[in-house]
Structure formats: C-alpha cells, structure tokens
Amino acid sequence: MISIGIVTSVWGDYSKYLAKWSDSIVAQTVQPSMVVILDAGVSSKGAVIETRKFLQDNDIRCLVREKRYTSIGAARNAAVAPVKTEWIIHL
C-alpha cells in the first residue's frame, strides 16, 4: 500500500473552500496517511477547526500548523515539512 500525504496552505478568505476540499479527500479511493493544513493567517479559524474534526471523524490523521504568511512558497514548504509519506500532493 502506498502512503500519501495531502497538504494545503490557507490564508485570508481561503477557508471558505475547506469544506469541499475535505469532502474530496474523504471521497478518494485511496485514503491519505496524513493531511496537513497550514494556517498562514486564515480569516476563519472555525473553518479550520471544523475541517480537522471532519477529517478525524473519517479516520484521517490531520495536523494543523500555524505560520505567518510571507509568501506562497514559504507557506507550501511549511505545510510539506512535517509529512513523512512516500508521496505528497498539495491541493
């Protein structure tokens, strides 16, 4: 079985997409070994918390990290850093 990590970086109003994002992850044929949400200054902390709970309720390990936004590259790198899976995808 392959191990897959899924990561995303959210800031500003991007949190409005997290519900559909997490629905898509749960619907996948191959479930990820872990999911990382990097909060780089999101406007709705509640959406991040709800997404983490939804993923965990569906037996998907979810880690939320926080880092001040400086650039998209820095945010993506910070999201990928804790993932130790064979494959990583940034959605």
Side-chain angles (χ1 to χ4, degrees), residues 2-87:
I2 62 172
S3 63
I4 300 170
I6 298 177
V7 301
T8 195
S9 310
V10 294
W11 57 89
D13 198 29
Y14 183 82
S15 61
K16 65 185 175 188
Y17 301 111
L18 286 174
K20 287 185 179 180
W21 177 82
S22 58
D23 286 341
S24 174
I25 291 170
V26 169
Q28 296 302 307
T29 304
V30 177
Q31 293 295 302
S33 301
M34 79 177 302
V35 171
V36 175
I37 301 170
L38 181 81
D39 175 355
V42 73
S43 57
S44 174
K45 300 278 186 195
V48 174
I49 293 166
E50 289 173 19
T51 299
R52 179 181 59 204
K53 182 176 180 344
F54 175 74
L55 291 169
Q56 290 173 337
D57 287 349
N58 283 278
D59 298 320
I60 297 173
R61 182 175 167 223
C62 181
L63 172 66
V64 175
R65 299 184 74 203
E66 292 185 14
K67 178 178 174 44
R68 186 177 61 83
Y69 182 85
T70 56
S71 70
I72 192 167
R76 287 183 174 190
N77 288 341
V80 168
V83 181
K84 306 297 182 215
T85 57
E86 183 179 2
W87 296 94

